[in-house]
Each structure stands twice: as structure tokens, then as C-alpha cells.
Amino acid sequence: MRDRLFITTMLLPAVVLLVLFYGYPIFDNLRISFTDLSLLGMKKGGNWVGLANYRELLHRGDFSHILFNTLIWLTATSVLLRLLIGLGIAVLLNTRALKTLRLASVARFALLVPWATPPIVAVVIWRFLLERNGFVNDALMGLNIISQPIAFLADMRTVWPSIVTIMLWNTVPLIALSLLSNLQTVPEEYYEAAELDGATNWQMFRFVTLPFLMPAILVLGLMSVFWSFNNFVYVWLATGAGPGTFTNVLATEVYLKAFVDFRLGYSSAIGMVMAVVMGAFGILYLRLVAHRQLEETL
Amino acid sequence: MLKLLAAGLVASVAVIGTVHLASADPVTITFRFNDTEQEVRGAIDAFQRDNPNIKVDLQRIGWKDARNQFLREAAVGEGPDVAHVAQVWVIEMGAAGATLALDDFIRKDPPPNGFADFAAQDLAKGRDGHFYGLPWTTDTWAMVYRTDLLKDAGITDLPHTWEDLRKNSEAVYKKTGKAGFGFPAGSSASGAMWFLANFYWWSHGKELIVQKPDGSYAIGLMPKDVVECMNYFKQFMDGGDNPKTNLAASDAHDPAIIQALVTGKQAMGAMPPNTYKEILKAYEEANPGKSIPFASAPFPHQDDTKSSMIGGRMLVINANSKHPNAAWKFTKFMASQAVFAQYYRTQFPAQTSLLKQIDFGAPLKGFAEQFPHARTWGAYASGPAPIGTLWNVTTRTFGKALSGQVSTEDAAKELFAEIGKQMP
Amino acid sequence: MTATAPSRHWRDPGGWQFVLAVVLTIVTLFVLVYPAIYVLVGSFRPGGGLLSTAETFTIRNYVRIFQAGFGRFILNSVVICVAATVVSTVLSVMAAYVFSRFEFRAKRTLFTGILFGQVFPWIVLINPLFVAFAAMHLINSYVGMILTYTAFTIPFSVYMLVGYLVTVPKSLDEAAIIDGASRWQVIWLIICPVMLPGFVATATYAFLLSWTEYLFALAFLTQTDLKTLPLGLYQFFGDDYVDWGAVMAASVVTTLPVFLLFLPIQGWISPGRIAGAVK
């Protein structure tokens, strides 16, 4: 009984806040998605149109293209690379070699630099580095890797890798520092025991480090999927969804429909579809993948 | 009739209210201005000196977010008293009930030289016939040339036709290796390609959206007009005289384009005067004491066709304003000659009488020459499709064509299909 | 237990491994920092060094941004972000502790439910939230902003903290409780020190998300004297031109306080302090 009271008090503040901040807007958004509400008609309100917005979305000719961009490039590619590179940096910075050189502390600070940079600045800087006379082209030409400058953000072959690079620069530090702080809590005995058993470096990583990091990796992976899937800033600022509509994703489509075409009803419907896709993914992920890892919890 | 009476009553109460207030506590009005504070600080201070009973609070929001923010604020009774808006937003904002009709103010307390003196009045007049904004500043786009590069390419006369422009651009690239007409060909929703495409159509006597004599709206182009325009601009990409990277640049003030002009890696550009002034400033800073190798000129046009826009800004009063009289007083003051003569010198006034008196100076000569060959967005802004949607569809389809994703024919077809959906 | 023993999950590296680690780190450092150095250098050039190739040195960019109110923006950002971080972290620790230590009926539902806010693109939440905020008079208020950032950082913080907490043996709590400590004391006096790097990482996330957030700040803060740093930075993006020098200087000024805040914290959580603490 005392436990019950304790549990309630501990959870209540967070839950109340979340209900207030998500509950109402989500409910409102659902309602709007069945109307033809316009940004210009917020005073008057919209008319009920039933499922028309949803039908329109699913029957769009370019829906599969937008979905492909969102799922494959914006989400899968960027999340997998983010986790891999983040893990790599965390492991690297935790090696003893670097500690003796004090390089690790320097690098931990360096990780704060991209993380504290607002996305707009990150995009602006990278656009410059990727310009025809920019650092990247100069470097590649200087090393004789290419002979002509590449139009990174305009060429269909390079535009997605470039956007993903910008995202990675800005977001890998969160992953790296989170994993690094997990690594720092791995009990030393585990390694000592493994060493006594004659484990190789790879075996130590595979059987000591990785299992220990797994809960954090799974959480970071899930959240990264949500953030990437719903993110519009990088695409919007780097290419404006162009050339043409080549890099259009669901989130930029939401923005375009709401704030360029003024169609709040339709953009809310896109938002609902996105939420359902991510909600389903989240539940499946927790049940099927993360369940075993967070077993002590759930 | 009753409604009118009630409105009159409310208005007179408001007038009495301000008369009363004038002798009591000062009122505070909020002015939301979207450019830099220094440009209007002096004018606001002068207004406050002349009107000790009105305090003006300055707020700032970037242009890209200003419209959305104002619309959502106005819908829930929030927002500044006076707002700085683009001319083409005013009709929409009036229809949304976000802004106050100014007819009574204009009649009872008109600006000097009367309302008729203002440019772009058509864009101030709402669909219900009331005026929802006071035109404040005007602007236009023109061509900018790097004369030293043109000379190196053996070009002595600035181009007068679109064909010459194309040939000269190609000549610069072939003879000097530098970029010719490096226009921003990006596809973003506010991309500059929208302007260039329309200027091209207008100068050929055509327009994307027309209002018919019966008052209805229609697309004023044939598919072949769109294809021809796309083909024209595509030559610059295919020929290499507009570098491929510009497919990712959507603004005239894209730093890569400015840098290319300032450092002499590009010979021609298209832009508004303030971007041009930045270029001149950066050139002078980098080359102190050198003569300026830049010239501005109108976009190519035949005889009296238009080849650029009269753009600009208006001031609107929030429908929620608690101090509409003070807000009007301030609005009128900001549009006065004194403000443009003494304080607000980065923009041109919207009154024709004031615009005539302005000495543009040699570098901006081309912009002065462009004004008589410029037009407002007219039917584009009053028509049924949001102008932002037309703009977005145009930059997208041009982006697809210019980057070679689809043929110009298919891109033009898509443009017609998308805009067709917007027309009744 | 020696306080200085570094944790290691790698054996003493041989020569080539040592060199490889150092080289990789230097490459990583370069990629992380080079773009920022580009900004730092640009902030001392007219036009941010973007518009011409002139290498003039100037501090006018900094003068301009402080004239535009950056002193005030720093203060606003610090107040809002520090408050939001503290509130968010405390509430998240409370929730995460319960999730990691107790069994109760609605646990699964609640734990999954916390995620729900994260499945929405925030841009569709802005208009409905704005309407609600206006009704509650939370527009242009510190409190409104602090609550917003708290609410938007809690889900990730809870999940992250649960991830850290499940690695701490429950026996640690039980031993302390047998010794007479209350649950509340267990959290803050026993668990917290052990999990310090994890708490700091979570708090860092909450802080930096609030620090760089733009969309909500734009909609909810319009009064100049309440604006945060990202809003201050965006105002240099004009319609006809961008004040690149000011943007670069503003970017440096936005990043700098983060370092000043995290410098002492990084010292605290130096690996030696916690290695071997979980015994």
C-alpha cells in the first residue's frame, strides 16, 4: 500500500505534464484532420470533411516517393549510421591509450561543439563547406579524388548522403556522449574477469561492453527513429526539399501544406498518419526488440 | 444598416476613448517590424517625442515566420497592434479577419497627398472592397552586371533582350571560364526562380494568373509558354554558365552567389536593391579605393511590357488592437515623407510623389529605370489560389526541369495540373 | 578500489593500436571541430568571411549582436534552460526510478504511453498548443517556456534513465533500506552518485534541446526582452540579405555559455570517480 502511494506520487508530475502538453494538442489535431481548416480560417474554424484528407494523401502519385525518402534516407540510413558512429566514438574515447594522452577529455568537449550548434547554423556551415569552391570540394580535388567540383546538394546522387552527413554532424554527439557515460559505469571487474579468461579485444567488446550498452543503444535507437522520421529542419534548410521534390519527406510535406498552402486540415492528417506509423513501430519495437533487453523493467 | 450603426457607435466610443486617454496615462502599442531595428529606431523615437502619450514597443520576427505567427496570434486575440507585412499578404489577412479595415481612418485622417498617391493599392483592397493595409515601402528586382568581366568577354553593351542575355552569359563562360548569369535555380517554396519565370512571361506580354472581364480568374499561359520559359533557363544550366550548385541556391542573396559576384567569379545576377547594396559594400570593403565594376539595368523587355515586379511592404493594424487610433496615428507617421527623408533610408517609399523625388544614385540607376517597367502581383494576389502555393508549384516544377529529373514538357504539364487544382 | 584506476575494456594497447586510436581520435576531432572553427574565424570577418575573400579582422559583428540585445537573450536562455533542465531531470529521475524498481498494474501501458508525444511531428502540435497557451496566458512567459521544454524532454530522459538504472543492481537499494534509508534518500544519495555520468548525460540532452530549440520559442515568445538565443540568431536572416557576420558571432555566443556551464561538470564526472563504485 505504501508502495502504491509512493509510485503514484513519483509518476504523477511527469504524467500530468505529458497529458497536458500532448493529450490536448493530439486530440485537437485529430479533430482538425477531419476538417478543411485553413490557416486563414483559424478564427472561423473549418468544415467537417470526414476522411477526405486521408484519402487525398493515400492517393497522391508521389506518396510512395515521399515515404521512401522518409523511411530509407531520413530515418533508416541516418539512424543506423548515427548509432554506429556514436558507438565507435564512445568506445574510442574510453580506451586507455587516449586517457593517458588526455585526448579523451579534449574530445568530450569537442563533442559539445556540434551538439550545441543550432541546426540552422549547422546547415549554413555545411552548405558552405559543400559549395563548389568549398572546403570539401577543394580537399577532394587537392587529393586528386575528383577532377570537377561536385554539386553536393543539387546532384541527385549526392544530395541525400550530404543531408545525412549534416544530420550526423549535429546529432552524433548526443549518442556518443550518452554511450560514453554508460561505458564509464561498466564495473571494472567484468573486464578483469574476461582478461583472466584470455578474451580477445573483440570478445571483450562483444561479450562485456555491448551487452552492457544494449539497453541504452535500444533507447537511443528508438528515439532517433522518432526524431529523424519527424524531422523537417535539415531537409528544409539544406535543400528546401529540392531539387524539384527529390528530397521531399513527410515532415517537410506537413510544413508545406500547413504554412505554404495554408491547409491545416490536410497537414494534420499527414501528421496523424506519421504518428500512427511511428506509434505502431514504437509498440512493436518495445515488444519484440527492446523487451528482452529491458526485461528487468518490463 | 444596424450593423453599420453599431460599427459607427463602436468607432465613436473608440474615438472618445482615445481623446480621454490622451489626457491620461500613455497608451502602449506594439509594432512588429521584420527588418533590423536600426532602420526604424530613429523614426520610432521621433514619433514618441511628438506623441508623448503613445509609447511604441518594437518587436521583431524574421520574414520567413512573420505571416504564420501573425495569423495564429490574430486568431486568438493576440499579436502586435501594427505589423509589417508583405504587400501580397494583405488581401489574405483581410479575408482571415486578422486585420482592421482602414477605410474610416483613410477618410477621416488621410495621409498627406491622399491615399491615391500610394502604389500597390490594388493589393491593399480586400475581396470585400475594404482597405486592409497602408502601402509603406516599394521594391523591385533588376539585373546586376560585373562590367569588368563583360569587357573581358568582349561585351560592350548590356543585353537588351533575353536572347542577348543568353548569348552574353555563354560568351563570358566560354571566354573567361567564369560563371555568366548565375541565377538561384533552387526549388524551395520561396525560391527566386518564381520571380525570374514571371518576369520572363510578363516581358513577353503574358501572365500566369489573369482576371477576366467578368471578374473570374484563369491561367493566362499556354503549356508551350511554360515549356519555352523552362527551356530558356535550362540552357544556362546545360551550358555550364550557371554552375550546377545553384540548383541548391534558392535566394538571390545566397552567400555563394554574392561571393561569386564580389570576387569576380560570376558576371551577372538578378536581385533586389538591398542585396545589391550588400554586394557593393562587400566589394568596397575588400577593395578599398578601387572603382566599382558593377552596373545595374532593367530586365530585358520589349517596348512598354513589364519585366519586373513592384514588390514591397505594407503596414496593417491588428483586428484585436485595443488602440486602433494610436495605431493609425503611428502607421500614418511611418509612411510620411519625414520618415523616409530622415530615418528610414534603406527602403523606397510607396507613395509615387515621394518615389519621384528620390535620387537613386549611379549604382542603383538600373533599379530606377526598372520601376516604370514593373508591375504588382495583381490578380496573383487577389485570385483564388494562395500565392504561396503558386510560388511553390512553380519553383518545384522548374527545379525538376532544370535539374533534368523530368523533361520540360512533363514539368510544364505538372505545373498546369497542380495550378489547375487551385482554380475553380 | 583505487580512485584513479581508469576503466578499460581494451587490453593495454600495443603500438599500432595505440597509433590507430590516436589517429582516429584526431580525425574525429577535426570533423567535429573544423566547421565550428570556420564559424569562429568568420565571426571576426566582415560579412562572416562569406561574401568576399578579404581577411580583415573586425569585432564589429560582436558589437552589433550585443546592441541587438544578445546580453538579454543569454540571460533568458540560461534561466529558461537551466530551470527546464532541473525540473525535467528531477521529474524524469522520479519516474524512471519507479519504472526500474517496482511492479505495478499500469506499468507497461504507462511506460509505452510516455512515448506517445514523441511520435508526432512537433510542427503539427504548434497551432493547437498555441491556442491552448493563449487561453492559459502562457504566451510570453518564462513559466510557459519552462513547462514546454520540460514536457518535451521528459520522454527521452525517462527512457534513457531507465536504461541506466536497470544496470544498477537492486541489491544496492535494498541494502540501504535495511540500513534505514528512505526511498527518496536512496535515489538522491545512493543511486544518483553511482549513475552520475548517466544523469549528467540526460541533463545535457534536456539542456541542449532547450538551448537550440527554435519552433516553440518562435511561437510562444514574441516580446523582445524575453527572447532566447536561437530567436536572436534567426533575426539576422533578412529577406533581401543575411547579416552573416552577426549570424557567425551569434553562433559563437550561443555555443560559448554551454562550455562555461559544462566545464565544471566534466571535471566532476571524470571516469576515475565512478570506476568500481558499483560493488
Side-chain angles (χ1 to χ4, degrees), chain B residues 2-29:
Chain B
L2 252 172
K3 239 185 189 170
L4 213 75
L5 206 73
L9 220 77
V10 170
S12 49
V13 168
V15 171
I16 294 166
T18 37
V19 170
H20 171 72
L21 276 173
S23 55
D25 297 334
V27 300
T28 301
I29 57 169

PDB file of all heavy atoms in Angstrom, chain B residues 2-29:
ATOM      1  N   LEU B   2     -28.215  48.096 -39.397  1.00  0.00           N
ATOM      2  CA  LEU B   2     -27.972  48.015 -37.955  1.00  0.00           C
ATOM      3  C   LEU B   2     -26.492  47.812 -37.665  1.00  0.00           C
ATOM      4  O   LEU B   2     -25.914  48.429 -36.773  1.00  0.00           O
ATOM      5  CB  LEU B   2     -28.773  46.847 -37.367  1.00  0.00           C
ATOM      6  CG  LEU B   2     -29.985  47.236 -36.520  1.00  0.00           C
ATOM      7  CD1 LEU B   2     -30.801  46.011 -36.160  1.00  0.00           C
ATOM      8  CD2 LEU B   2     -29.533  47.971 -35.262  1.00  0.00           C
ATOM      9  N   LYS B   3     -25.937  46.942 -38.495  1.00  0.00           N
ATOM     10  CA  LYS B   3     -24.513  46.620 -38.333  1.00  0.00           C
ATOM     11  C   LYS B   3     -23.675  47.884 -38.453  1.00  0.00           C
ATOM     12  O   LYS B   3     -22.747  48.122 -37.679  1.00  0.00           O
ATOM     13  CB  LYS B   3     -24.106  45.633 -39.423  1.00  0.00           C
ATOM     14  CG  LYS B   3     -23.553  44.318 -38.872  1.00  0.00           C
ATOM     15  CD  LYS B   3     -23.085  43.477 -40.019  1.00  0.00           C
ATOM     16  CE  LYS B   3     -22.723  42.083 -39.571  1.00  0.00           C
ATOM     17  NZ  LYS B   3     -22.492  41.212 -40.724  1.00  0.00           N
ATOM     18  N   LEU B   4     -24.029  48.684 -39.447  1.00  0.00           N
ATOM     19  CA  LEU B   4     -23.289  49.912 -39.731  1.00  0.00           C
ATOM     20  C   LEU B   4     -23.377  50.864 -38.536  1.00  0.00           C
ATOM     21  O   LEU B   4     -22.390  51.467 -38.118  1.00  0.00           O
ATOM     22  CB  LEU B   4     -23.866  50.572 -40.989  1.00  0.00           C
ATOM     23  CG  LEU B   4     -22.845  51.317 -41.834  1.00  0.00           C
ATOM     24  CD1 LEU B   4     -21.989  50.314 -42.595  1.00  0.00           C
ATOM     25  CD2 LEU B   4     -23.548  52.263 -42.799  1.00  0.00           C
ATOM     26  N   LEU B   5     -24.604  50.929 -38.025  1.00  0.00           N
ATOM     27  CA  LEU B   5     -24.856  51.803 -36.880  1.00  0.00           C
ATOM     28  C   LEU B   5     -23.991  51.370 -35.694  1.00  0.00           C
ATOM     29  O   LEU B   5     -23.344  52.182 -35.043  1.00  0.00           O
ATOM     30  CB  LEU B   5     -26.343  51.726 -36.513  1.00  0.00           C
ATOM     31  CG  LEU B   5     -26.895  52.972 -35.809  1.00  0.00           C
ATOM     32  CD1 LEU B   5     -27.025  54.106 -36.816  1.00  0.00           C
ATOM     33  CD2 LEU B   5     -28.247  52.671 -35.166  1.00  0.00           C
ATOM     34  N   ALA B   6     -24.019  50.074 -35.470  1.00  0.00           N
ATOM     35  CA  ALA B   6     -23.244  49.529 -34.359  1.00  0.00           C
ATOM     36  C   ALA B   6     -21.758  49.829 -34.555  1.00  0.00           C
ATOM     37  O   ALA B   6     -21.066  50.253 -33.634  1.00  0.00           O
ATOM     38  CB  ALA B   6     -23.466  48.020 -34.263  1.00  0.00           C
ATOM     39  N   ALA B   7     -21.306  49.637 -35.798  1.00  0.00           N
ATOM     40  CA  ALA B   7     -19.895  49.892 -36.097  1.00  0.00           C
ATOM     41  C   ALA B   7     -19.557  51.348 -35.819  1.00  0.00           C
ATOM     42  O   ALA B   7     -18.532  51.682 -35.225  1.00  0.00           O
ATOM     43  CB  ALA B   7     -19.589  49.526 -37.550  1.00  0.00           C
ATOM     44  N   GLY B   8     -20.473  52.228 -36.245  1.00  0.00           N
ATOM     45  CA  GLY B   8     -20.268  53.659 -36.029  1.00  0.00           C
ATOM     46  C   GLY B   8     -20.186  53.969 -34.547  1.00  0.00           C
ATOM     47  O   GLY B   8     -19.322  54.722 -34.099  1.00  0.00           O
ATOM     48  N   LEU B   9     -21.055  53.333 -33.802  1.00  0.00           N
ATOM     49  CA  LEU B   9     -21.090  53.537 -32.361  1.00  0.00           C
ATOM     50  C   LEU B   9     -19.769  53.127 -31.720  1.00  0.00           C
ATOM     51  O   LEU B   9     -19.178  53.863 -30.948  1.00  0.00           O
ATOM     52  CB  LEU B   9     -22.241  52.714 -31.763  1.00  0.00           C
ATOM     53  CG  LEU B   9     -23.011  53.437 -30.660  1.00  0.00           C
ATOM     54  CD1 LEU B   9     -23.961  54.457 -31.272  1.00  0.00           C
ATOM     55  CD2 LEU B   9     -23.783  52.433 -29.808  1.00  0.00           C
ATOM     56  N   VAL B  10     -19.353  51.941 -32.120  1.00  0.00           N
ATOM     57  CA  VAL B  10     -18.094  51.425 -31.575  1.00  0.00           C
ATOM     58  C   VAL B  10     -16.953  52.372 -31.919  1.00  0.00           C
ATOM     59  O   VAL B  10     -16.130  52.735 -31.085  1.00  0.00           O
ATOM     60  CB  VAL B  10     -17.809  50.006 -32.113  1.00  0.00           C
ATOM     61  CG1 VAL B  10     -16.392  49.571 -31.743  1.00  0.00           C
ATOM     62  CG2 VAL B  10     -18.822  49.021 -31.569  1.00  0.00           C
ATOM     63  N   ALA B  11     -16.961  52.839 -33.172  1.00  0.00           N
ATOM     64  CA  ALA B  11     -15.883  53.718 -33.621  1.00  0.00           C
ATOM     65  C   ALA B  11     -15.891  55.015 -32.819  1.00  0.00           C
ATOM     66  O   ALA B  11     -14.846  55.482 -32.365  1.00  0.00           O
ATOM     67  CB  ALA B  11     -16.036  54.018 -35.118  1.00  0.00           C
ATOM     68  N   SER B  12     -17.108  55.585 -32.608  1.00  0.00           N
ATOM     69  CA  SER B  12     -17.137  56.863 -31.888  1.00  0.00           C
ATOM     70  C   SER B  12     -16.742  56.675 -30.434  1.00  0.00           C
ATOM     71  O   SER B  12     -16.058  57.513 -29.865  1.00  0.00           O
ATOM     72  CB  SER B  12     -18.517  57.522 -32.017  1.00  0.00           C
ATOM     73  OG  SER B  12     -19.523  56.590 -31.724  1.00  0.00           O
ATOM     74  N   VAL B  13     -17.155  55.561 -29.857  1.00  0.00           N
ATOM     75  CA  VAL B  13     -16.727  55.270 -28.491  1.00  0.00           C
ATOM     76  C   VAL B  13     -15.207  55.188 -28.443  1.00  0.00           C
ATOM     77  O   VAL B  13     -14.558  55.736 -27.561  1.00  0.00           O
ATOM     78  CB  VAL B  13     -17.362  53.954 -27.978  1.00  0.00           C
ATOM     79  CG1 VAL B  13     -16.692  53.513 -26.689  1.00  0.00           C
ATOM     80  CG2 VAL B  13     -18.854  54.159 -27.751  1.00  0.00           C
ATOM     81  N   ALA B  14     -14.650  54.531 -29.459  1.00  0.00           N
ATOM     82  CA  ALA B  14     -13.198  54.383 -29.520  1.00  0.00           C
ATOM     83  C   ALA B  14     -12.536  55.752 -29.613  1.00  0.00           C
ATOM     84  O   ALA B  14     -11.530  56.017 -28.960  1.00  0.00           O
ATOM     85  CB  ALA B  14     -12.809  53.513 -30.707  1.00  0.00           C
ATOM     86  N   VAL B  15     -13.130  56.640 -30.431  1.00  0.00           N
ATOM     87  CA  VAL B  15     -12.559  57.976 -30.585  1.00  0.00           C
ATOM     88  C   VAL B  15     -12.611  58.715 -29.262  1.00  0.00           C
ATOM     89  O   VAL B  15     -11.621  59.268 -28.795  1.00  0.00           O
ATOM     90  CB  VAL B  15     -13.304  58.763 -31.687  1.00  0.00           C
ATOM     91  CG1 VAL B  15     -12.850  60.220 -31.681  1.00  0.00           C
ATOM     92  CG2 VAL B  15     -13.065  58.127 -33.037  1.00  0.00           C
ATOM     93  N   ILE B  16     -13.779  58.674 -28.637  1.00  0.00           N
ATOM     94  CA  ILE B  16     -13.923  59.334 -27.335  1.00  0.00           C
ATOM     95  C   ILE B  16     -12.905  58.739 -26.354  1.00  0.00           C
ATOM     96  O   ILE B  16     -12.251  59.453 -25.615  1.00  0.00           O
ATOM     97  CB  ILE B  16     -15.362  59.160 -26.790  1.00  0.00           C
ATOM     98  CG1 ILE B  16     -16.327  59.913 -27.696  1.00  0.00           C
ATOM     99  CG2 ILE B  16     -15.475  59.677 -25.362  1.00  0.00           C
ATOM    100  CD1 ILE B  16     -17.784  59.557 -27.484  1.00  0.00           C
ATOM    101  N   GLY B  17     -12.786  57.439 -26.432  1.00  0.00           N
ATOM    102  CA  GLY B  17     -11.836  56.753 -25.565  1.00  0.00           C
ATOM    103  C   GLY B  17     -10.434  57.298 -25.710  1.00  0.00           C
ATOM    104  O   GLY B  17      -9.778  57.601 -24.723  1.00  0.00           O
ATOM    105  N   THR B  18     -10.007  57.475 -26.933  1.00  0.00           N
ATOM    106  CA  THR B  18      -8.630  57.947 -27.120  1.00  0.00           C
ATOM    107  C   THR B  18      -8.488  59.395 -26.710  1.00  0.00           C
ATOM    108  O   THR B  18      -7.452  59.795 -26.206  1.00  0.00           O
ATOM    109  CB  THR B  18      -8.153  57.792 -28.574  1.00  0.00           C
ATOM    110  OG1 THR B  18      -9.235  58.057 -29.422  1.00  0.00           O
ATOM    111  CG2 THR B  18      -7.554  56.428 -28.819  1.00  0.00           C
ATOM    112  N   VAL B  19      -9.544  60.197 -26.967  1.00  0.00           N
ATOM    113  CA  VAL B  19      -9.485  61.598 -26.552  1.00  0.00           C
ATOM    114  C   VAL B  19      -9.289  61.648 -25.048  1.00  0.00           C
ATOM    115  O   VAL B  19      -8.449  62.367 -24.538  1.00  0.00           O
ATOM    116  CB  VAL B  19     -10.781  62.340 -26.955  1.00  0.00           C
ATOM    117  CG1 VAL B  19     -10.810  63.716 -26.311  1.00  0.00           C
ATOM    118  CG2 VAL B  19     -10.870  62.454 -28.462  1.00  0.00           C
ATOM    119  N   HIS B  20     -10.037  60.793 -24.386  1.00  0.00           N
ATOM    120  CA  HIS B  20      -9.934  60.746 -22.939  1.00  0.00           C
ATOM    121  C   HIS B  20      -8.528  60.290 -22.526  1.00  0.00           C
ATOM    122  O   HIS B  20      -7.890  60.891 -21.678  1.00  0.00           O
ATOM    123  CB  HIS B  20     -10.989  59.783 -22.390  1.00  0.00           C
ATOM    124  CG  HIS B  20     -10.825  59.515 -20.933  1.00  0.00           C
ATOM    125  ND1 HIS B  20     -11.118  60.463 -19.983  1.00  0.00           N
ATOM    126  CD2 HIS B  20     -10.360  58.430 -20.264  1.00  0.00           C
ATOM    127  CE1 HIS B  20     -10.851  59.966 -18.789  1.00  0.00           C
ATOM    128  NE2 HIS B  20     -10.399  58.738 -18.929  1.00  0.00           N
ATOM    129  N   LEU B  21      -8.068  59.254 -23.203  1.00  0.00           N
ATOM    130  CA  LEU B  21      -6.765  58.698 -22.846  1.00  0.00           C
ATOM    131  C   LEU B  21      -5.650  59.702 -23.083  1.00  0.00           C
ATOM    132  O   LEU B  21      -4.670  59.733 -22.363  1.00  0.00           O
ATOM    133  CB  LEU B  21      -6.501  57.434 -23.660  1.00  0.00           C
ATOM    134  CG  LEU B  21      -7.109  56.163 -23.069  1.00  0.00           C
ATOM    135  CD1 LEU B  21      -6.942  55.006 -24.033  1.00  0.00           C
ATOM    136  CD2 LEU B  21      -6.461  55.839 -21.731  1.00  0.00           C
ATOM    137  N   ALA B  22      -5.838  60.509 -24.128  1.00  0.00           N
ATOM    138  CA  ALA B  22      -4.783  61.449 -24.493  1.00  0.00           C
ATOM    139  C   ALA B  22      -4.400  62.331 -23.304  1.00  0.00           C
ATOM    140  O   ALA B  22      -3.262  62.747 -23.187  1.00  0.00           O
ATOM    141  CB  ALA B  22      -5.224  62.303 -25.668  1.00  0.00           C
ATOM    142  N   SER B  23      -5.364  62.571 -22.450  1.00  0.00           N
ATOM    143  CA  SER B  23      -5.036  63.440 -21.335  1.00  0.00           C
ATOM    144  C   SER B  23      -4.648  62.632 -20.099  1.00  0.00           C
ATOM    145  O   SER B  23      -4.322  63.187 -19.073  1.00  0.00           O
ATOM    146  CB  SER B  23      -6.231  64.341 -21.027  1.00  0.00           C
ATOM    147  OG  SER B  23      -7.365  63.529 -20.803  1.00  0.00           O
ATOM    148  N   ALA B  24      -4.758  61.325 -20.212  1.00  0.00           N
ATOM    149  CA  ALA B  24      -4.441  60.497 -19.039  1.00  0.00           C
ATOM    150  C   ALA B  24      -3.159  59.700 -19.269  1.00  0.00           C
ATOM    151  O   ALA B  24      -2.204  60.203 -19.821  1.00  0.00           O
ATOM    152  CB  ALA B  24      -5.612  59.575 -18.752  1.00  0.00           C
ATOM    153  N   ASP B  25      -3.176  58.412 -18.864  1.00  0.00           N
ATOM    154  CA  ASP B  25      -1.975  57.588 -18.977  1.00  0.00           C
ATOM    155  C   ASP B  25      -1.596  57.373 -20.439  1.00  0.00           C
ATOM    156  O   ASP B  25      -2.460  57.299 -21.303  1.00  0.00           O
ATOM    157  CB  ASP B  25      -2.248  56.213 -18.351  1.00  0.00           C
ATOM    158  CG  ASP B  25      -2.549  56.355 -16.874  1.00  0.00           C
ATOM    159  OD1 ASP B  25      -2.081  57.351 -16.293  1.00  0.00           O
ATOM    160  OD2 ASP B  25      -3.263  55.490 -16.348  1.00  0.00           O
ATOM    161  N   PRO B  26      -0.311  57.260 -20.717  1.00  0.00           N
ATOM    162  CA  PRO B  26       0.080  56.973 -22.094  1.00  0.00           C
ATOM    163  C   PRO B  26      -0.351  55.557 -22.488  1.00  0.00           C
ATOM    164  O   PRO B  26      -0.401  54.668 -21.645  1.00  0.00           O
ATOM    165  CB  PRO B  26       1.597  57.098 -22.073  1.00  0.00           C
ATOM    166  CG  PRO B  26       1.996  56.970 -20.653  1.00  0.00           C
ATOM    167  CD  PRO B  26       0.823  57.391 -19.822  1.00  0.00           C
ATOM    168  N   VAL B  27      -0.705  55.367 -23.773  1.00  0.00           N
ATOM    169  CA  VAL B  27      -1.010  54.019 -24.225  1.00  0.00           C
ATOM    170  C   VAL B  27       0.262  53.423 -24.822  1.00  0.00           C
ATOM    171  O   VAL B  27       1.140  54.147 -25.288  1.00  0.00           O
ATOM    172  CB  VAL B  27      -2.123  53.994 -25.295  1.00  0.00           C
ATOM    173  CG1 VAL B  27      -3.394  54.594 -24.745  1.00  0.00           C
ATOM    174  CG2 VAL B  27      -1.685  54.713 -26.550  1.00  0.00           C
ATOM    175  N   THR B  28       0.353  52.103 -24.776  1.00  0.00           N
ATOM    176  CA  THR B  28       1.488  51.434 -25.390  1.00  0.00           C
ATOM    177  C   THR B  28       0.985  50.614 -26.565  1.00  0.00           C
ATOM    178  O   THR B  28       0.060  49.820 -26.412  1.00  0.00           O
ATOM    179  CB  THR B  28       2.173  50.501 -24.381  1.00  0.00           C
ATOM    180  OG1 THR B  28       2.599  51.287 -23.277  1.00  0.00           O
ATOM    181  CG2 THR B  28       3.380  49.817 -25.007  1.00  0.00           C
ATOM    182  N   ILE B  29       1.546  50.850 -27.739  1.00  0.00           N
ATOM    183  CA  ILE B  29       1.216  49.995 -28.864  1.00  0.00           C
ATOM    184  C   ILE B  29       2.456  49.203 -29.259  1.00  0.00           C
ATOM    185  O   ILE B  29       3.586  49.636 -29.029  1.00  0.00           O
ATOM    186  CB  ILE B  29       0.682  50.790 -30.083  1.00  0.00           C
ATOM    187  CG1 ILE B  29       1.690  51.844 -30.535  1.00  0.00           C
ATOM    188  CG2 ILE B  29      -0.666  51.421 -29.779  1.00  0.00           C
ATOM    189  CD1 ILE B  29       1.333  52.467 -31.870  1.00  0.00           C
TER     190      ILE B  29
END
